Amino acid sequence: MLCCKNTSVLGGYYENNEKGSDRHPCQRYDLQGKAVLKTQEKYYLSDISIKYSQMGFDAKMLSAVFENIVYLEMKRRGYDVYIGKNNTKEIVFVAVRRDERIYVQVCVQLPDGSDREAANLMYIKDHYHKYVVCRDTLALGNDNGIEIVHIADFLMRENW
């Protein structure tokens, strides 16, 4: 997986570059308790080629690559980005900027016969924007107020 829970996956690289900006920690956020959790953070890479140089490319990691790209774009736009936890459901990203909040699920393709990506967002009972970002051009649209959008369109939008 591109986002790493344990930086030892990349060997000693990070031990020697502890203060570098090559990795970005992303903390978990409890949506019910409205608090940042102290455990289970993930790390996203500024340059995914570092990971590939150590571990090679695997097509199964494409979803993690998309997740990494979306994370970096939200940070570039000034959002504080968290991994959302809502009971037993995980929301890939909760992004907050001033009074604005968005929820984002990221996947390569929506699974056939499953509404998992959108269903996780439906459990959130506020009225902030909710997105499922994917590469699946046939699945685009709106599902009960949750916008399903192509990753390129999502990244190119001026406003979310």
Side-chain angles (χ1 to χ4, degrees):
M1 194 168 186
L2 188 60
C3 54
C4 303
K5 291 181 182 177
N6 182 349
T7 56
S8 66
V9 169
L10 298 175
Y13 179 82
Y14 287 119
E15 291 172 16
N16 297 327
N17 191 17
E18 191 64 31
K19 295 184 180 175
S21 61
D22 293 338
R23 64 183 175 146
H24 302 272
C26 186
Q27 296 178 302
R28 292 192 183 271
Y29 183 82
D30 183 357
L31 294 169
Q32 291 179 324
K34 297 185 179 5
V36 174
L37 302 174
K38 304 282 186 214
T39 61
Q40 298 180 339
E41 65 185 6
K42 287 184 180 179
Y43 291 90
Y44 292 94
L45 304 175
S46 295
D47 183 354
I48 58 174
S49 65
I50 296 168
K51 181 198 172 292
Y52 296 140
S53 71
Q54 297 293 314
M55 300 179 69
F57 177 76
D58 183 355
K60 296 175 192 168
M61 296 184 304
L62 196 52
S63 184
V65 170
F66 284 3
E67 195 174 308
N68 204 109
I69 291 167
V70 170
Y71 172 84
L72 291 174
E73 180 61 18
M74 289 188 296
K75 291 298 283 183
R76 186 189 73 76
R77 293 185 185 205
Y79 286 89
D80 293 325
V81 183
Y82 304 95
I83 301 160
K85 181 182 179 305
N86 194 17
N87 273 338
T88 60
K89 308 287 185 199
E90 180 177 290
I91 308 302
V92 175
F93 295 121
V94 177
V96 180
R97 183 175 63 185
R98 294 181 288 281
D99 294 335
E100 179 186 0
R101 178 183 298 224
I102 62 171
Y103 302 100
V104 182
Q105 292 286 82
V106 180
C107 60
V108 173
Q109 184 172 342
L110 293 174
D112 288 334
S114 172
D115 66 346
R116 186 185 78 133
E117 302 297 337
N120 285 0
L121 294 171
M122 285 184 211
Y123 283 103
I124 302 170
K125 299 298 182 192
D126 62 27
H127 298 288
Y128 292 108
H129 291 282
K130 298 170 180 76
Y131 299 95
V132 175
V133 176
C134 64
R135 187 180 65 175
D136 191 351
T137 56
L138 297 176
L140 306 180
N142 193 305
D143 183 6
N144 291 315
I146 298 165
E147 190 173 348
I148 302 170
V149 61
H150 191 276
I151 186 166
D153 295 332
F154 183 79
L155 296 172
M156 299 297 289
R157 280 189 180 174
E158 196 165 315
N159 295 307
W160 289 321

